[in-house]
Structure formats: structure tokens, C-alpha cells
Coordinates of all heavy atoms in Angstrom, one line a residue:
M9 N -14.6 22.7 5.4 CA -13.9 21.5 5.2 C -12.9 21.5 4.0 O -13.3 22.0 3.0 CB -14.9 20.3 5.1 CG -14.3 19.0 5.0 SD -15.2 17.8 5.9 CE -14.2 16.3 5.7
E10 N -11.7 20.9 4.2 CA -10.7 20.9 3.1 C -10.5 19.5 2.6 O -10.4 18.6 3.3 CB -9.4 21.4 3.8 CG -8.4 21.9 2.9 CD -7.2 22.5 3.7 OE1 -6.5 21.7 4.3 OE2 -7.0 23.7 3.7
C11 N -10.2 19.5 1.3 CA -10.0 18.2 0.6 C -8.7 17.6 1.1 O -7.6 18.3 1.2 CB -10.0 18.4 -0.9 SG -9.6 16.8 -1.8
H12 N -8.7 16.3 1.4 CA -7.5 15.6 1.8 C -6.4 15.5 0.7 O -5.2 15.5 1.1 CB -8.0 14.2 2.2 CG -6.9 13.3 2.7 ND1 -6.3 13.4 3.9 CD2 -6.3 12.2 2.1 CE1 -5.4 12.5 4.1 NE2 -5.3 11.7 3.0
Y13 N -6.8 15.5 -0.5 CA -5.9 15.4 -1.6 C -5.4 16.7 -2.2 O -4.2 16.9 -2.3 CB -6.5 14.6 -2.8 CG -6.8 13.2 -2.4 CD1 -8.1 12.8 -1.9 CD2 -5.8 12.2 -2.4 CE1 -8.3 11.5 -1.5 CE2 -6.0 10.9 -2.0 CZ -7.3 10.5 -1.5 OH -7.5 9.3 -1.1
C14 N -6.3 17.6 -2.5 CA -5.8 18.9 -3.2 C -6.1 20.1 -2.4 O -5.7 21.2 -2.8 CB -6.5 19.0 -4.5 SG -8.3 19.3 -4.4
K15 N -6.5 20.0 -1.1 CA -6.7 21.1 -0.2 C -7.8 22.1 -0.6 O -7.8 23.2 -0.1 CB -5.4 21.8 0.1 CG -4.2 20.9 0.5 CD -4.5 20.3 1.8 CE -3.4 19.3 2.2 NZ -3.8 18.4 3.3
S16 N -8.6 21.8 -1.6 CA -9.6 22.7 -2.1 C -10.8 22.6 -1.1 O -10.9 21.7 -0.3 CB -10.1 22.4 -3.5 OG -9.0 22.6 -4.4
T17 N -11.8 23.5 -1.3 CA -13.0 23.5 -0.5 C -13.9 22.4 -0.8 O -14.1 22.1 -2.0 CB -13.7 24.9 -0.7 OG1 -12.8 25.9 -0.6 CG2 -14.8 25.1 0.3
M18 N -14.5 21.8 0.2 CA -15.4 20.7 0.0 C -16.8 21.3 0.3 O -17.0 22.1 1.2 CB -15.1 19.5 0.9 CG -13.8 19.0 0.6 SD -13.4 17.4 1.5 CE -14.0 16.2 0.2
V19 N -17.8 20.8 -0.5 CA -19.2 21.2 -0.3 C -20.1 20.1 0.2 O -19.9 18.9 -0.3 CB -19.8 21.9 -1.5 CG1 -19.2 23.3 -1.8 CG2 -19.7 21.0 -2.8
R20 N -21.0 20.4 1.0 CA -21.9 19.4 1.5 C -23.0 19.1 0.5 O -23.7 20.1 0.1 CB -22.6 19.9 2.8 CG -23.4 18.9 3.6 CD -22.5 18.0 4.5 NE -23.4 17.3 5.3 CZ -23.3 16.0 5.5 NH1 -22.4 15.3 4.9 NH2 -24.1 15.4 6.4
T21 N -23.1 17.9 0.0 CA -24.1 17.5 -1.0 C -24.5 16.1 -0.8 O -24.3 15.5 0.3 CB -23.6 17.9 -2.4 OG1 -24.6 17.6 -3.3 CG2 -22.3 17.2 -2.7
K22 N -25.1 15.5 -1.9 CA -25.4 14.1 -1.8 C -24.8 13.5 -3.1 O -24.7 14.1 -4.1 CB -26.9 13.9 -1.9 CG -27.6 14.1 -0.5 CD -29.0 13.9 -0.6 CE -29.7 13.9 0.8 NZ -31.1 13.5 0.7
T23 N -24.3 12.2 -2.9 CA -23.7 11.5 -4.0 C -24.0 10.0 -3.9 O -24.5 9.5 -2.9 CB -22.2 11.8 -4.1 OG1 -21.7 11.3 -5.4 CG2 -21.5 11.1 -3.0
A24 N -23.7 9.3 -5.0 CA -23.9 7.8 -4.9 C -22.7 7.2 -4.2 O -21.5 7.6 -4.3 CB -24.0 7.3 -6.3
Y25 N -22.9 6.1 -3.5 CA -21.9 5.4 -2.8 C -21.8 4.0 -3.4 O -22.8 3.3 -3.4 CB -22.2 5.3 -1.3 CG -21.1 4.7 -0.4 CD1 -20.4 5.6 0.5 CD2 -20.7 3.4 -0.5 CE1 -19.4 5.1 1.2 CE2 -19.7 2.9 0.3 CZ -19.0 3.7 1.2 OH -18.0 3.3 1.9
A26 N -20.7 3.7 -4.1 CA -20.6 2.4 -4.8 C -19.8 1.4 -4.0 O -18.8 1.8 -3.4 CB -19.9 2.6 -6.1
I27 N -20.3 0.2 -3.9 CA -19.7 -0.9 -3.1 C -19.4 -2.0 -4.2 O -20.3 -2.5 -4.8 CB -20.6 -1.4 -2.0 CG1 -20.8 -0.3 -1.0 CG2 -20.0 -2.6 -1.3 CD1 -22.2 -0.3 -0.4
N28 N -18.1 -2.3 -4.3 CA -17.7 -3.3 -5.3 C -17.1 -4.5 -4.5 O -16.0 -4.4 -4.0 CB -16.7 -2.8 -6.3 CG -17.3 -1.7 -7.1 OD1 -18.4 -1.9 -7.8 ND2 -16.8 -0.5 -7.1
K29 N -17.9 -5.5 -4.4 CA -17.5 -6.7 -3.6 C -17.3 -7.9 -4.5 O -17.9 -7.9 -5.7 CB -18.5 -7.0 -2.5 CG -18.7 -6.0 -1.5 CD -17.8 -6.0 -0.4 CE -18.1 -7.1 0.6 NZ -17.3 -7.1 1.8
N30 N -16.6 -8.9 -4.0 CA -16.5 -10.1 -4.8 C -17.8 -10.8 -4.9 O -18.3 -11.3 -3.9 CB -15.4 -11.0 -4.1 CG -15.0 -12.1 -5.1 OD1 -15.2 -12.1 -6.3 ND2 -14.3 -13.1 -4.5
G31 N -18.5 -10.8 -6.0 CA -19.8 -11.4 -6.1 C -21.0 -10.5 -6.3 O -22.0 -10.9 -6.8
Y32 N -20.8 -9.3 -5.9 CA -21.9 -8.3 -6.2 C -21.4 -6.9 -6.1 O -20.3 -6.6 -5.6 CB -23.0 -8.5 -5.2 CG -22.7 -8.1 -3.7 CD1 -23.0 -6.8 -3.3 CD2 -22.2 -9.0 -2.8 CE1 -22.7 -6.4 -2.0 CE2 -21.9 -8.6 -1.5 CZ -22.1 -7.4 -1.1 OH -21.8 -7.0 0.2
H33 N -22.2 -6.0 -6.8 CA -21.9 -4.6 -6.8 C -23.2 -3.9 -6.4 O -24.2 -4.2 -6.8 CB -21.5 -4.1 -8.2 CG -20.3 -5.0 -8.7 ND1 -19.0 -4.8 -8.4 CD2 -20.3 -6.1 -9.4 CE1 -18.3 -5.7 -8.9 NE2 -19.0 -6.5 -9.6
L34 N -23.0 -2.9 -5.5 CA -24.1 -2.2 -5.0 C -23.9 -0.7 -5.1 O -22.8 -0.2 -4.7 CB -24.3 -2.6 -3.5 CG -25.5 -2.2 -2.7 CD1 -26.8 -2.9 -3.3 CD2 -25.3 -2.6 -1.3
V35 N -24.9 0.1 -5.5 CA -24.8 1.5 -5.6 C -25.9 2.1 -4.8 O -27.1 1.8 -5.1 CB -24.8 2.1 -7.0 CG1 -24.7 3.6 -7.0 CG2 -23.6 1.5 -7.8
I36 N -25.6 2.9 -3.8 CA -26.6 3.6 -3.0 C -26.7 5.0 -3.4 O -25.7 5.8 -3.4 CB -26.3 3.5 -1.5 CG1 -26.1 2.0 -1.1 CG2 -27.4 4.2 -0.7 CD1 -25.6 1.8 0.3
D37 N -27.8 5.5 -4.0 CA -28.0 6.9 -4.4 C -28.2 7.8 -3.2 O -28.7 7.4 -2.2 CB -29.1 7.0 -5.4 CG -28.9 6.3 -6.7 OD1 -27.7 6.2 -7.1 OD2 -29.8 5.8 -7.3
D38 N -27.9 9.1 -3.5 CA -28.3 10.2 -2.5 C -27.8 10.0 -1.1 O -28.5 10.2 -0.2 CB -29.8 10.3 -2.5 CG -30.3 10.8 -3.9 OD1 -29.6 11.5 -4.6 OD2 -31.5 10.5 -4.2
V39 N -26.5 9.6 -1.0 CA -25.9 9.5 0.4 C -25.3 10.9 0.7 O -24.5 11.4 -0.1 CB -24.8 8.4 0.4 CG1 -24.2 8.4 1.8 CG2 -25.4 7.1 0.0
P40 N -25.6 11.5 1.8 CA -25.0 12.8 2.2 C -23.5 12.7 2.3 O -23.0 11.7 2.9 CB -25.6 13.1 3.5 CG -26.8 12.2 3.6 CD -26.5 11.0 2.9
A41 N -22.8 13.6 1.7 CA -21.3 13.6 1.7 C -20.7 15.0 1.5 O -21.4 15.9 1.0 CB -20.8 12.6 0.6
W42 N -19.4 15.1 1.7 CA -18.7 16.3 1.4 C -18.0 15.9 0.1 O -17.4 14.9 0.0 CB -17.6 16.6 2.4 CG -18.2 17.1 3.7 CD1 -18.6 16.3 4.8 CD2 -18.5 18.4 4.1 NE1 -19.1 17.1 5.8 CE2 -19.1 18.4 5.4 CE3 -18.5 19.6 3.4 CZ2 -19.5 19.5 6.1 CZ3 -18.9 20.8 4.1 CH2 -19.4 20.7 5.4
I43 N -18.1 16.8 -0.9 CA -17.5 16.6 -2.2 C -16.5 17.7 -2.5 O -16.9 18.9 -2.4 CB -18.5 16.5 -3.4 CG1 -19.6 15.4 -3.1 CG2 -17.9 16.2 -4.7 CD1 -19.1 14.0 -3.1
C44 N -15.3 17.4 -3.0 CA -14.3 18.4 -3.3 C -14.7 19.1 -4.6 O -15.0 18.4 -5.6 CB -13.0 17.8 -3.5 SG -11.7 18.9 -4.0
Q45 N -14.7 20.4 -4.6 CA -15.1 21.2 -5.8 C -14.0 21.1 -6.9 O -14.3 21.2 -8.1 CB -15.3 22.6 -5.4 CG -16.6 22.8 -4.7 CD -16.9 24.3 -4.4 OE1 -16.1 25.0 -3.8 NE2 -18.0 24.8 -4.9
Q46 N -12.8 20.8 -6.5 CA -11.7 20.7 -7.4 C -11.5 19.3 -8.1 O -11.6 19.2 -9.3 CB -10.4 21.1 -6.7 CG -9.2 21.2 -7.5 CD -9.2 22.4 -8.5 OE1 -9.7 23.4 -8.2 NE2 -8.6 22.2 -9.7
C47 N -11.4 18.3 -7.2 CA -11.1 17.0 -7.8 C -12.2 16.0 -7.7 O -12.1 14.9 -8.2 CB -9.8 16.4 -7.1 SG -10.1 16.0 -5.4
G48 N -13.3 16.4 -7.0 CA -14.5 15.5 -6.9 C -14.4 14.4 -5.9 O -15.2 13.5 -5.8
E49 N -13.3 14.4 -5.1 CA -13.2 13.4 -4.1 C -14.3 13.5 -3.1 O -14.5 14.5 -2.5 CB -11.8 13.6 -3.4 CG -11.4 12.5 -2.4 CD -11.2 11.2 -2.9 OE1 -10.9 11.0 -4.2 OE2 -11.3 10.2 -2.2
P50 N -15.0 12.3 -2.8 CA -16.0 12.4 -1.8 C -15.5 12.0 -0.4 O -14.6 11.2 -0.3 CB -17.0 11.3 -2.3 CG -16.2 10.3 -3.0 CD -14.9 11.1 -3.5
Y51 N -16.1 12.6 0.6 CA -15.8 12.2 2.0 C -17.1 12.0 2.7 O -18.0 12.8 2.8 CB -15.1 13.4 2.7 CG -14.9 13.1 4.2 CD1 -13.8 12.3 4.6 CD2 -15.8 13.5 5.1 CE1 -13.7 11.9 5.9 CE2 -15.6 13.2 6.5 CZ -14.6 12.4 6.9 OH -14.4 12.1 8.2
F52 N -17.3 10.7 3.1 CA -18.5 10.3 3.8 C -18.3 10.3 5.3 O -17.2 10.0 5.8 CB -18.9 8.9 3.3 CG -19.3 8.8 1.9 CD1 -18.3 8.5 0.9 CD2 -20.5 9.2 1.4 CE1 -18.6 8.4 -0.4 CE2 -20.9 9.1 0.1 CZ -19.9 8.7 -0.9
E53 N -19.3 10.7 6.0 CA -19.2 10.8 7.5 C -19.5 9.5 8.1 O -20.1 8.6 7.6 CB -20.2 11.9 8.0 CG -19.7 13.3 7.6 CD -20.6 14.4 8.1 OE1 -21.7 14.2 8.4 OE2 -20.0 15.6 8.1
G54 N -18.9 9.4 9.3 CA -19.0 8.1 10.1 C -20.3 7.5 10.2 O -20.5 6.3 10.0
E55 N -21.4 8.3 10.4 CA -22.7 7.7 10.6 C -23.2 7.0 9.4 O -23.7 5.9 9.4 CB -23.7 8.9 11.0 CG -25.0 8.4 11.5 CD -26.1 9.5 11.6 OE1 -25.7 10.7 11.7 OE2 -27.2 9.2 11.7
Q56 N -23.0 7.6 8.2 CA -23.4 7.1 6.9 C -22.6 5.8 6.7 O -23.1 4.8 6.2 CB -23.2 8.0 5.8 CG -24.4 8.9 5.5 CD -24.6 10.0 6.6 OE1 -23.7 10.6 7.0 NE2 -25.8 10.1 7.1
V57 N -21.3 5.9 6.9 CA -20.4 4.8 6.7 C -20.8 3.6 7.5 O -20.8 2.4 7.1 CB -18.9 5.1 6.9 CG1 -18.0 3.9 6.8 CG2 -18.5 6.2 5.9
D58 N -21.1 3.8 8.8 CA -21.5 2.8 9.7 C -22.8 2.0 9.2 O -22.9 0.8 9.2 CB -21.9 3.3 11.1 CG -20.6 3.7 11.9 OD1 -19.5 3.4 11.4 OD2 -20.7 4.4 12.9
I59 N -23.7 2.8 8.8 CA -25.0 2.2 8.2 C -24.7 1.4 7.0 O -25.2 0.3 6.8 CB -26.0 3.4 8.0 CG1 -26.4 4.1 9.3 CG2 -27.3 2.8 7.3 CD1 -27.2 5.4 9.1
I60 N -23.9 2.0 6.1 CA -23.5 1.3 4.9 C -22.8 0.0 5.2 O -23.1 -1.1 4.6 CB -22.7 2.2 3.9 CG1 -23.6 3.3 3.4 CG2 -22.1 1.4 2.8 CD1 -22.9 4.5 2.8
Q61 N -21.9 0.0 6.2 CA -21.3 -1.3 6.6 C -22.3 -2.3 7.1 O -22.1 -3.5 6.8 CB -20.3 -1.0 7.8 CG -19.1 -0.2 7.4 CD -18.3 -0.7 6.3 OE1 -18.1 -1.9 6.1 NE2 -17.7 0.2 5.4
E62 N -23.3 -1.9 7.8 CA -24.4 -2.8 8.2 C -25.1 -3.4 7.0 O -25.4 -4.6 7.0 CB -25.4 -2.0 9.1 CG -24.9 -1.5 10.4 CD -24.6 -2.7 11.3 OE1 -25.4 -3.7 11.4 OE2 -23.5 -2.7 11.9
I63 N -25.4 -2.5 6.0 CA -26.0 -3.0 4.8 C -25.1 -4.1 4.1 O -25.7 -5.1 3.7 CB -26.3 -1.8 3.8 CG1 -27.3 -0.9 4.4 CG2 -26.8 -2.4 2.5 CD1 -27.5 0.5 3.7
V64 N -23.9 -3.8 4.0 CA -22.9 -4.7 3.4 C -22.9 -6.0 4.1 O -22.9 -7.1 3.5 CB -21.5 -4.1 3.3 CG1 -20.5 -5.1 2.9 CG2 -21.5 -2.9 2.3
K65 N -22.9 -6.0 5.5 CA -22.8 -7.2 6.3 C -24.1 -8.0 6.0 O -24.0 -9.3 5.9 CB -22.8 -6.8 7.8 CG -21.5 -7.2 8.5 CD -21.6 -7.0 10.0 CE -21.0 -5.6 10.4 NZ -21.1 -5.3 11.8
S66 N -25.2 -7.4 6.0 CA -26.5 -8.0 5.8 C -26.5 -8.7 4.4 O -26.9 -9.9 4.2 CB -27.6 -7.0 5.9 OG -28.8 -7.5 5.4
V67 N -26.0 -8.0 3.3 CA -26.0 -8.6 2.0 C -25.0 -9.7 1.9 O -25.3 -10.8 1.4 CB -25.6 -7.5 1.0 CG1 -25.5 -8.1 -0.4 CG2 -26.7 -6.4 0.9
D68 N -23.8 -9.5 2.6 CA -22.8 -10.6 2.6 C -23.3 -11.9 3.1 O -23.1 -13.0 2.6 CB -21.6 -10.2 3.5 CG -20.6 -9.3 2.7 OD1 -20.7 -9.2 1.5 OD2 -19.7 -8.7 3.4
S69 N -24.2 -11.8 4.2 CA -24.7 -13.0 4.8 C -25.8 -13.7 4.0 O -26.0 -14.9 4.2 CB -25.2 -12.7 6.2 OG -26.3 -11.9 6.1
K70 N -26.4 -13.0 3.1 CA -27.5 -13.5 2.3 C -27.2 -13.8 0.8 O -27.8 -14.7 0.3 CB -28.7 -12.6 2.4 CG -29.3 -12.5 3.8 CD -30.5 -11.6 3.8 CE -31.1 -11.5 5.2 NZ -30.6 -10.2 5.9
I71 N -26.2 -13.1 0.3 CA -25.9 -13.3 -1.1 C -25.5 -14.7 -1.5 O -25.8 -15.2 -2.5 CB -24.8 -12.2 -1.6 CG1 -24.8 -12.0 -3.1 CG2 -23.5 -12.5 -1.0 CD1 -25.8 -11.1 -3.6
V72 N -24.8 -15.3 -0.6 CA -24.3 -16.7 -0.8 C -25.5 -17.6 -1.1 O -25.4 -18.5 -2.0 CB -23.5 -17.2 0.4 CG1 -23.0 -18.6 0.2 CG2 -22.3 -16.3 0.7
K73 N -26.6 -17.4 -0.4 CA -27.7 -18.3 -0.6 C -28.3 -18.2 -2.0 O -28.8 -19.1 -2.6 CB -28.8 -17.9 0.4 CG -28.5 -18.3 1.8 CD -29.6 -17.8 2.8 CE -29.1 -17.9 4.2 NZ -30.0 -17.3 5.1
V74 N -28.2 -17.0 -2.5 CA -28.7 -16.7 -3.9 C -27.8 -17.4 -4.9 O -28.2 -18.1 -5.8 CB -28.8 -15.2 -4.2 CG1 -29.1 -15.0 -5.7 CG2 -29.7 -14.5 -3.3
Q75 N -26.5 -17.2 -4.7 CA -25.5 -17.7 -5.6 C -25.2 -19.2 -5.5 O -24.7 -19.8 -6.5 CB -24.2 -16.9 -5.5 CG -24.5 -15.4 -5.8 CD -23.3 -14.5 -5.6 OE1 -22.5 -14.7 -4.7 NE2 -23.2 -13.4 -6.3
L76 N -25.6 -19.8 -4.5 CA -25.4 -21.3 -4.3 C -26.4 -22.1 -5.2 O -26.2 -23.2 -5.4 CB -25.5 -21.7 -2.9 CG -24.2 -21.5 -2.0 CD1 -24.5 -21.9 -0.6 CD2 -23.1 -22.3 -2.6
A77 N -27.5 -21.4 -5.6 CA -28.6 -22.1 -6.4 C -27.9 -22.6 -7.7 O -27.1 -21.9 -8.3 CB -29.7 -21.1 -6.6
R78 N -28.4 -23.8 -8.1 CA -27.9 -24.3 -9.3 C -28.3 -23.5 -10.5 O -29.4 -23.1 -10.6 CB -28.4 -25.8 -9.5 CG -27.7 -26.7 -8.5 CD -28.3 -28.1 -8.7 NE -27.6 -29.1 -7.7 CZ -26.5 -29.6 -7.9 NH1 -25.8 -29.4 -9.0 NH2 -26.0 -30.4 -7.0
P79 N -27.4 -23.3 -11.5 CA -27.8 -22.5 -12.7 C -28.7 -23.3 -13.6 O -28.8 -24.5 -13.4 CB -26.4 -22.3 -13.4 CG -25.5 -23.3 -12.8 CD -26.0 -23.7 -11.5
Ligands
LIG1 ZN1 -9.7 17.7 -3.9

């Protein structure tokens, strides 16, 4: 596999996937991914991305309930 940005070789490994949303930030450790040896650009595969989207949807629907509570 070749890096989209610098055309260097990518290696299969695990890395953290960070999600920065308005209202919360989520970091999932140890997500399988291709990482560029040159520039460090990660490439996540569709299956992992789909699951992460499900997690985000689930958090999105519940986070409001937490944040609506009076300080
Ligand atoms: Zn690269």
C-alpha cells in the first residue's frame, strides 16, 4: 500500500483514532490502520470507520442529555 500524500510505503499497525466533535472529544486506542513510514499519515479501513461512525452516532444521541443538566 502506498501513501496518498508522499507515495511512501505504508505499514499495517495499530494507532489511536481521535474524534473531535462540537461538545466532546473521543480517542479510541489500538485501531488497526495503515500508517505511512515517511509522513505518518494514517489510513483506516472501511470496516473500522463504519464501526467508529456507529460509536459517534451513539454518543451524539446521548451526549446532549449529559450536557443539558444544570451546572
Ligand atoms: Zn506519506
